[in-house]
Amino acid sequence: MASILNQTQELQESSKVIGHVRCENYFIFPGENTLSDGLRGVLYFLALAYCFIGLSAITARFFKSMENVVKHSRKVVAIDPITNAQVITYKKVWNFTIADISLLAFGTSFPQISLATIDAIRNIGERYAGGLGPGTLVGSAAFDLFPIPAVCVVVPKAGELKKISDLGVWLVELVWSFWAYIWLYIILEVWSPNVITLLEALLTVLQYGLLLVHAYAQDKRWPYLSLPMSRGDRPEEWVPEEIDQSKDDNDVHDVYSDAAQEAVESGNRNIVDIFSIHSANNDTGITYHTVADTPPNSATKKGKAKNSTVFKLWKHQFVDAITLETSESKKVDSIYLRIAKSFWQLLLAPWKLLFAFVPPCNIAHGWVAFICSLLFISGVAFVVTRLTDLISCVTGINPYVIAFTALAGGTSWPDLVASKIAAERQLTADSAIANITCSNSVNIYVGIGVPWLINTVYNYFAYKEPLYIENAKGLSFSLLIFFATSVGCIAVLVLRRLIIGAELGGPRLWAWLTSAYFMMLWVVFVVLSSLKVSGII
């Protein structure tokens, strides 16, 4: 009898895998249940891919607003001791290292963080944590550390070398990134196996603050808290500044007029270069301007002109959303390429029209657009979690497997775009590589720490119990595989620095061999992790 029951259970499990058990859940309409599971799986996968397209579009707008936030400067008035004249300078509000770890890393990781937080909120009241959040963040860490460097290492031109200039800051970020995954393994398998306590969740979140303090201390070279390493030959301007000869150098740079000109000239620009935030000589992005002997009426007129420009920019966002053929596509000679570009714009049109409601990033130094973009990203992430649940339901695929593969790759796309832009335009490899390590740290300390803190606080006061991890063994195994493969990745980057002289670029053959090696490490991680959480190994 026992053997018959075992066989029945095995048949049920196998039927779930091949999709024979009907999934009664639906996305929008109850009539979806009348379709076959195979057709529903295909449609849900297509919808998931379309959400990733929208996620990339809103993330680009998020980056642009973040760039304006970081460009914010404050006026500093000093008295020249010799001439007794007032000297007005503008000092950046944001430290670049802190901006990298907080705004940049947080921005590129926000799709994963939002998805994990929504998954935790949906599971409030459950004694077991959801699987989408941790699985996506660990899978995203692997995507950040393997495919993204695989792309960045071949981006520089043949023979061009780009190396990390501030090794001290990078080593601090790297150590904290590795420690994040060691810490996660300790709380899952050593400290309190298979459960997460309130103290563990709280300590996980607090370590993000320690990372910020330690990185800032290294950047400022504080004694006893920083590594005794020189800053190196980091250029004053991390991004080569394009000189516009049509402007007089003595003129005050008007960010509103430039933004309007950029909106008209560039048309549709889906990829935004956010790395100009590292330009040390970037006084052109200041918000506060002091012009001597400016008549009051002139200042009032200028304020009205700026307000008018903001509304023109906002209007242009809606016009651009419904424009299928841009000025750039009209210059293409091939009719087939023009049709393809127009079709792509047609796919993007619904997302662009929706995201056009985000105010221009010139308002309040970009903070309004920054917050609105976060809200839209959270909304798209919620739809992604629903679709992922349905895909798992109709196909029987383990949610962790989907999180390691489709979700991790889709939500990490902004990281790939940002690092690729840095590898192309920056003179060094600092942001291209630092974005990877910082994002991985943010994924654990914030992306996993905050959702677990939400659930553990509720469980502590409601049930007086910790938060249970349903597949802790599989997640711990994935952490071990990730740690082992990441050591192999970092070792190659160090060898490239010692032998070739740089982490990115170099001889074309070696660059492509390095890229292939990184991709192989990613495949090893995905395959072994998926087999483990599926119970095959």
Side-chain angles (χ1 to χ4, degrees):
M1 185 67 180
S3 62
I4 295 176
L5 291 176
N6 291 336
Q7 291 177 1
T8 303
Q9 292 175 355
E10 291 177 359
L11 287 174
Q12 289 176 348
E13 293 296 327
S14 62
S15 64
K16 289 179 183 178
V17 173
I18 61 178
H20 288 171
V21 176
R22 293 292 298 174
C23 179
E24 299 300 328
N25 298 330
Y26 58 89
F27 182 54
I28 299 177
F29 306 107
E32 297 172 16
N33 296 332
T34 61
L35 303 176
S36 65
D37 285 345
L39 179 59
R40 291 176 67 190
V42 172
L43 293 177
Y44 293 149
F45 266 115
L46 291 176
L48 186 65
Y50 192 62
C51 284
F52 289 151
I53 294 175
L55 201 58
S56 297
I58 186 59
T59 304
R61 194 174 293 273
F62 173 86
F63 284 159
K64 190 64 178 176
S65 65
M66 183 177 64
E67 181 185 30
N68 273 34
V69 170
V70 179
K71 281 182 176 180
H72 182 203
S73 302
R74 61 184 177 88
K75 184 176 69 173
V76 178
V77 180
I79 304 297
D80 191 315
I82 300 177
T83 63
N84 289 329
Q86 282 190 347
V87 178
I88 300 177
T89 58
Y90 295 89
K91 186 177 180 180
K92 294 289 184 182
V93 173
W94 284 88
N95 173 269
F96 288 150
T97 298
I98 298 300
D100 272 343
I101 301 175
S102 56
L103 293 180
L104 180 57
F106 185 81
T108 55
S109 299
F110 192 77
Q112 302 95 301
I113 296 172
S114 179
L115 190 148
T117 305
I118 291 172
D119 189 45
I121 294 173
R122 289 167 62 236
N123 281 281
I124 283 184
E126 301 289 337
R127 287 176 169 83
Y128 284 89
L132 289 181
T136 302
L137 290 164
V138 175
S140 175
F143 191 90
D144 287 348
L145 196 58
F146 304 132
I148 293 181
V151 172
C152 292
V153 75
V154 297
V155 163
K157 299 176 182 178
E160 185 180 7
L161 297 175
K162 294 191 177 184
K163 64 180 180 179
I164 298 173
S165 60
D166 197 340
L167 283 174
V169 171
W170 179 71
L171 286 176
V172 168
E173 295 166 350
L174 181 65
V175 168
W176 278 97
S177 176
F178 272 112
W179 166 248
Y181 293 93
I182 296 173
W183 166 255
L184 193 58
Y185 182 84
I186 291 174
I187 62 177
L188 284 174
E189 292 293 333
V190 180
W191 192 345
S192 56
N194 302 328
V195 299
I196 299 297
T197 64
L198 177 59
L199 178 61
E200 291 171 343
L202 184 61
L203 289 177
T204 302
V205 176
L206 291 178
Q207 289 182 71
Y208 178 63
L210 295 178
L211 165 62
L212 290 173
V213 173
H214 194 185
Y216 184 78
Q218 180 63 42
D219 182 72
K220 296 299 182 180
R221 298 306 192 266
W222 288 356
Y224 307 110
L225 292 178
S226 60
L227 300 174
M229 302 180 66
S230 60
R231 188 177 298 276
D233 55 350
R234 187 172 79 178
E236 223 178 282
E237 296 185 7
W238 284 30
V239 177
E241 189 172 346
E242 296 179 3
I243 300 175
D244 190 352
Q245 300 295 341
S246 63
K247 294 182 179 180
D248 187 354
D249 293 338
N250 296 323
D251 289 343
V252 175
H253 183 91
D254 192 342
V255 66
Y256 289 90
S257 61
D258 278 8
Q261 182 180 1
E262 179 183 357
V264 174
E265 291 179 353
S266 63
N268 177 31
R269 186 168 146 190
N270 292 322
I271 299 178
V272 180
D273 179 17
I274 64 170
F275 290 94
S276 58
I277 65 175
H278 291 295
S279 176
N281 185 20
N282 196 10
D283 292 337
T284 58
I286 60 177
T287 306
Y288 304 105
H289 300 285
T290 302
V291 181
D293 301 329
T294 301
N297 293 336
S298 176
T300 303
K301 291 180 180 179
K302 185 176 181 181
K304 292 181 179 180
K306 288 184 177 181
N307 292 333
S308 176
T309 304
V310 169
F311 284 109
K312 288 181 181 179
L313 283 172
W314 208 339
K315 177 183 177 181
H316 182 271
Q317 291 179 180
F318 287 93
V319 174
D320 178 65
I322 59 177
T323 302
L324 298 183
E325 192 173 21
T326 63
S327 57
E328 294 181 0
S329 62
K330 291 179 181 179
K331 299 177 182 179
V332 178
D333 296 332
S334 175
I335 185 63
Y336 299 105
L337 288 178
R338 291 183 62 178
I339 293 175
K341 286 180 176 290
S342 298
F343 178 73
W344 178 250
Q345 294 300 321
L346 184 63
L347 286 178
L348 287 175
W351 289 119
K352 292 170 63 178
L353 188 61
L354 177 63
F355 300 148
F357 286 96
V358 177
C361 59
N362 306 100
I363 301 176
H365 314 305
W367 281 109
V368 177
F370 185 89
I371 295 173
C372 290
S373 298
L374 290 182
L375 295 177
F376 275 109
I377 291 175
S378 299
V380 177
F382 175 76
V383 176
V384 167
T385 56
R386 290 280 298 123
L387 289 171
T388 306
D389 288 341
L390 289 170
I391 291 173
S392 178
C393 182
V394 300
T395 62
I397 300 175
N398 190 299
Y400 275 99
V401 176
I402 300 176
F404 285 143
T405 54
L407 282 183
T411 55
S412 295
W413 189 256
D415 286 313
L416 175 61
V417 173
S419 293
K420 179 178 178 294
I421 293 174
E424 285 176 339
R425 294 202 57 214
Q426 285 196 305
L427 300 176
T428 68
D430 288 77
S431 283
I433 302 298
N435 180 44
I436 298 167
T437 53
C438 293
S439 295
N440 285 348
S441 299
V442 171
N443 281 345
I444 298 299
Y445 300 132
V446 180
I448 291 182
V450 170
W452 279 354
L453 185 60
I454 293 172
N455 288 140
T456 53
V457 168
Y458 184 90
N459 286 10
Y460 179 80
F461 289 102
Y463 310 122
K464 300 299 180 182
E465 292 182 1
L467 179 67
Y468 296 94
I469 307 299
E470 187 172 3
N471 200 349
K473 294 292 183 182
L475 187 59
S476 301
F477 179 82
S478 299
L479 289 173
L480 290 176
I481 296 299
F482 172 77
F483 190 80
T485 50
S486 62
V487 170
C489 175
I490 299 299
V492 169
L493 290 177
V494 173
L495 287 175
R496 285 179 55 88
R497 179 62 176 260
L498 296 176
I499 299 174
I500 301 178
E503 290 80 11
L504 304 181
R508 217 59 185 157
L509 176 61
W510 290 109
W512 281 107
L513 287 176
T514 305
S515 178
Y517 172 73
F518 289 158
M519 291 303 299
M520 182 196 69
L521 292 177
W522 182 64
V523 171
V524 169
F525 167 81
V526 170
V527 171
L528 292 180
S529 299
S530 299
L531 292 177
K532 181 63 177 181
V533 296
S534 300
I536 298 177
I537 60 175

